[in-house]
Amino acid sequence: MAKTATKSAKKPAAKAARPGAKPAAEAAAESAAKVAKPATKVSAKKAAKTKAKPAKKPALTLSMLKPSVNNMSVRVFARAAGLDHSETDVWGLTRSPEYMARNPAHLTPMIEDKGLPRGVLWESCAIMQYLANKHGLEKLYPKAPAKRAMIDSAMFYLIGTLYPYVARATYPALNFPQYPGEVGHSDAHPDKKSEAQKAAIEAIAEPLEVFHSFFRNGKPFIGGKDPSIADIRLAATLEFLAVIDYALPQWTKDYMAAIEKKLGKAYAEPAGDVRGYIAYVRSQANA
C-alpha cells in the first residue's frame, strides 16, 4: 500500500501552460467558431441560391372573358382537372393586332400550349378534348370509344342546336352582339326581332328534353356517375338562361346543383363571374 502511494506521489503534476498560450476556454471558443464559420457560409450560399431561383411559370395560359359561358366551360374544366394554368382577361383586346396575330379568329377561350402545332387553340369543346387527351383525364373524357362517342355527340348537339337557340334568346338581354345573318343583327323592326327571340326561347325546350331523356337516360350526369366535359359545357350554357328568367325544368335545376356540388369551387368560382354579370345586366335593365 505504502509503495503504491509513493509512486503516485512521485508522478509529475500536469504540465504548466506555455507562456503566451491562450486560456483553455478561449481556445475552445475559437475552435468552435472556426468549425461553425464554414457551415454558416454554406447555409448563406444555399439560401441565396434558393432566393435567386425564378418562380415557375404555369404550364398553360388561358385567355378568357369572364361573363362568357363558353369561357366558363374551360375555366371550370381547368380547375376540375387540377391543371397548372394562368388566366388572362382579354376583355376589349381580342381585336388587337397582338391577339389577332396569334388568333386570327379573335375568339375566346384560347389556350397557349407548346405542344400545339400553331401554339394556340380556341373553341371550348376542342380545348377540353385536347387537354383531357394530353393529360389522360379519363374521368372527364372517357377513352372507351362508345362512351366517348356519347360525350362527343352531346357536345356537338349542344353547340350545333341548343346553343344557337340560347344565343338568340339571351344575347339581346346580355347586350352581346348577334351573329351576321340573324334577325337580331339586322335593321329589322324591333317587333320582328322580338318575335325571333320568342321563337328561339320556345325552341329551347326540345333539346333540353333530349339531354334529359337520351343523353342522361336516368344517370346523374351525361358522363355517368361523374360529370364529363359535356356536362360542364351543358351546365355552363344553362347559366345564361337566368338573364331572361327562363322557366327551367326541375331536372335541370337539380342537375346544375349536383354538378356544382360535385365540382365545388372549380365550378362555383367561374360561375360566380357569369352570375355577377347577369345580375349587373338585370340591374341596369331595371334602373
Side-chain angles (χ1 to χ4, degrees):
M1 290 285 291
K3 201 173 182 182
T4 307
T6 307
K7 278 187 178 178
S8 297
K10 284 182 180 178
K11 194 174 182 181
K15 289 181 181 175
R18 295 190 306 275
K22 292 180 182 177
E26 191 181 334
E30 191 178 83
S31 177
K34 279 180 183 174
V35 173
K37 202 173 182 182
T40 308
K41 276 185 181 175
V42 171
S43 300
K45 209 179 269 185
K46 199 173 182 181
K49 201 175 181 182
T50 308
K51 256 187 183 179
K53 198 176 179 182
K56 189 183 174 185
K57 287 184 179 179
L60 185 72
T61 301
L62 169 63
S63 295
M64 54 82 198
L65 303 176
K66 290 182 178 181
S68 163
V69 293
N70 299 322
N71 289 262
M72 175 186 157
S73 301
V74 177
R75 296 179 71 204
V76 170
F77 168 83
R79 287 165 169 76
L83 298 179
D84 178 27
H85 73 289
S86 64
E87 293 182 346
T88 303
D89 192 336
V90 291
W91 185 270
L93 302 174
T94 57
R95 297 271 182 171
S96 68
E98 184 189 3
Y99 193 87
M100 290 189 70
R102 293 174 295 157
N103 180 343
H106 52 80
L107 294 174
T108 60
M110 177 185 79
I111 61 165
E112 295 173 60
D113 190 71
K114 288 179 183 177
L116 293 163
R118 301 302 300 272
V120 301
L121 181 69
W122 59 85
E123 294 295 345
S124 60
C125 294
I127 290 170
M128 291 190 291
Q129 288 171 315
Y130 165 71
L131 292 173
N133 286 331
K134 180 178 179 178
H135 298 285
L137 304 169
E138 288 191 60
K139 194 174 180 181
L140 290 163
Y141 191 39
K143 275 188 179 178
K147 287 183 178 179
R148 176 167 286 197
M150 293 303 286
I151 301 298
D152 289 341
S153 179
M155 286 198 301
F156 299 156
Y157 181 61
L158 189 153
I159 60 176
T161 302
L162 176 61
Y163 193 76
Y165 294 156
V166 171
R168 290 174 193 137
T170 63
Y171 278 21
L174 290 162
N175 299 319
F176 286 180
Q178 296 207 52
Y179 298 100
E182 297 279 355
V183 176
H185 184 74
S186 71
D187 57 0
H189 190 276
D191 288 349
K192 289 291 180 187
K193 292 183 180 183
S194 181
E195 284 175 24
Q197 185 182 12
K198 187 181 176 184
I201 292 170
E202 289 173 356
I204 289 170
E206 183 179 276
L208 279 187
E209 181 53 32
V210 172
F211 277 104
H212 178 50
S213 61
F214 182 79
F215 288 111
R216 285 180 70 224
N217 190 28
K219 305 186 300 293
F221 308 106
I222 297 167
K225 64 177 184 177
D226 295 302
S228 66
I229 57 177
D231 291 290
I232 291 172
R233 190 67 185 82
L234 175 58
T237 299
L238 296 177
E239 292 282 349
F240 262 176
L241 293 174
V243 78
I244 56 169
D245 284 325
Y246 184 83
L248 284 168
Q250 187 57 47
W251 76 263
T252 59
K253 296 175 185 177
D254 297 340
Y255 170 76
M256 293 168 75
I259 288 178
E260 186 162 358
K261 185 178 179 182
K262 197 87 173 178
L263 299 181
K265 285 184 180 179
Y267 185 92
E269 288 176 357
D273 289 325
V274 171
R275 293 166 186 168
Y277 181 73
I278 289 172
Y280 166 75
V281 167
R282 293 184 66 167
S283 70
Q284 293 298 105
N286 296 329

